[in-house]
Amino acid sequence: VQLQASGGGLVQSGGSLRLSCAASGRTLSLYNMAWVRQAPGKEREFVAGIAWSDESTYYADSAKGRFTISRSGDNAKTTVYLQMNSLKPEDTAVYYCAAARMKLIGTTYDYSGQGTLVTVSS
């Protein structure tokens, strides 16, 4: 499974960004997909996840009500999105998309792509 995240950038506090993750590989429809992030000097943390079975979504408390994860595509090629609204300076981090057959909520997954940097200015 190959994952490529994009869409990061510099945004003012209160603004919005939409991150995209292009995923390719076998049987993508059987993989849970997630976004995790790592801020400078901090540990990686779970942000949002979407289950392959029924597309149930899960969010970290810090993301609830502001972020929305979604996915589209088919078995061979899938795109996972993270719509981020009402951004705060504490959302500044490198965001990574990740995929796993079993795990949905966590910080380590079967596959993880290179990240995209989100910087929120105050």
Side-chain angles (χ1 to χ4, degrees), residues 19-64:
L19 305 183
S20 299
C21 174
S24 59
R26 302 192 300 177
T27 60
L28 284 173
S29 60
L30 297 181
Y31 280 81
N32 298 321
M33 304 296 293
W35 288 94
V36 296
R37 68 186 182 186
Q38 187 163 18
K42 295 187 177 181
E43 294 186 352
R44 190 167 292 195
E45 64 175 353
F46 170 81
V47 177
I50 184 166
W52 70 266
S53 57
D54 60 1
E55 299 200 351
S56 297
T57 56
Y58 301 84
Y59 299 92
D61 288 343
S62 59
K64 286 178 182 176

Side-chain angles (χ1 to χ4, degrees), residues 4-5 28-29 34 77 79 88 95 97 103 111-112:
Q4 179 67 52
L28 284 173
S29 60
K77 192 171 182 180
T79 303
K88 306 174 182 180
Y95 285 71
C97 64
K103 179 177 289 186
Y111 301 94
S112 180

